[in-house]
Amino acid sequence: MIFIFLIILHLYLPIIYYNHIDVSPDFFLLSIIFFSIKNNTYKIILAGLLFGFVNDLLISTNYFGAITILYMVFSYYLLRINIFKTHAIYNIFIILSFYIIIFLMYLLRYSDSYFFYIKYSLIKTLLIFLFLLLFDKIFGVSKKYVKR
């Protein structure tokens, strides 16, 4: 149910602009996170492929397929760090991976200075992490599937 809700939010939530740059949260990345919390199999990589391809079609950059590859790398990384689910370092890994993926997505979409990429990637990462915490509090995903 949460995946359908996140997909609907990604498709129909108004875009948030900051200085004419899109910083709206990427709900496809959030759905991959929640899917990786629930599952420990290679279905995570297939979900990353599917969400990346759909996002590639929606964004339509000059490098078709690059966002799909980024999403697949992100899902593979989530599959590998699943052993740290019960540790506090898991959240730090998630935030850093969000930041790197979003930095690379901005690098593909815009041609500007590195300060631009760092600034807007940080803003978008913070927004995504706030939504991640909000959905975790509402749906209680980490309490249901992560055993401490």
Side-chain angles (χ1 to χ4, degrees):
M1 180 179 114
I2 190 170
F3 303 113
I4 296 170
F5 182 66
L6 287 172
I7 291 170
I8 289 171
L9 276 178
H10 187 80
L11 295 175
Y12 294 111
L13 191 75
I15 298 173
I16 300 170
Y17 287 106
Y18 179 72
N19 291 339
H20 305 291
I21 303 297
D22 176 22
V23 292
S24 56
D26 195 347
F27 292 108
F28 285 157
L29 285 177
L30 284 177
S31 57
I32 292 173
I33 288 285
F34 286 129
F35 193 71
S36 74
I37 289 174
K38 290 176 77 170
N39 295 320
N40 254 352
T41 63
Y42 286 97
K43 293 177 186 175
I44 301 167
I45 298 174
L46 293 175
L49 173 73
L50 176 72
F51 287 134
F53 183 70
V54 170
N55 203 8
D56 220 352
L57 290 175
L58 291 174
I59 290 178
S60 67
T61 61
N62 293 336
Y63 305 105
F64 187 74
I67 294 176
T68 306
I69 292 171
L70 285 176
Y71 271 58
M72 285 180 57
V73 167
F74 179 69
S75 4
Y76 180 75
Y77 178 73
L78 288 177
L79 183 66
R80 292 292 114 204
I81 66 168
N82 268 340
I83 57 172
F84 298 114
K85 257 188 207 179
T86 58
H87 304 306
I89 200 163
Y90 184 72
N91 292 333
I92 295 170
F93 284 150
I94 295 294
I95 293 172
L96 286 176
S97 62
F98 267 140
Y99 182 76
I100 291 169
I101 293 296
I102 292 169
F103 182 85
L104 292 173
M105 285 174 60
Y106 275 130
L107 195 65
L108 289 172
R109 288 177 68 183
Y110 303 104
S111 56
D112 213 327
S113 67
Y114 285 109
F115 179 72
F116 167 84
Y117 301 133
I118 292 169
K119 177 178 144 183
Y120 289 107
S121 299
L122 186 63
I123 291 170
K124 192 168 184 167
T125 303
L126 291 176
L127 276 175
I128 289 177
F129 195 69
L130 287 175
F131 273 96
L132 179 68
L133 290 176
L134 178 72
F135 287 129
D136 189 39
K137 292 294 180 193
I138 292 172
F139 294 107
V141 175
S142 65
K143 291 179 185 172
K144 288 180 188 174
Y145 298 102
V146 177
K147 296 170 181 61
R148 297 200 183 243

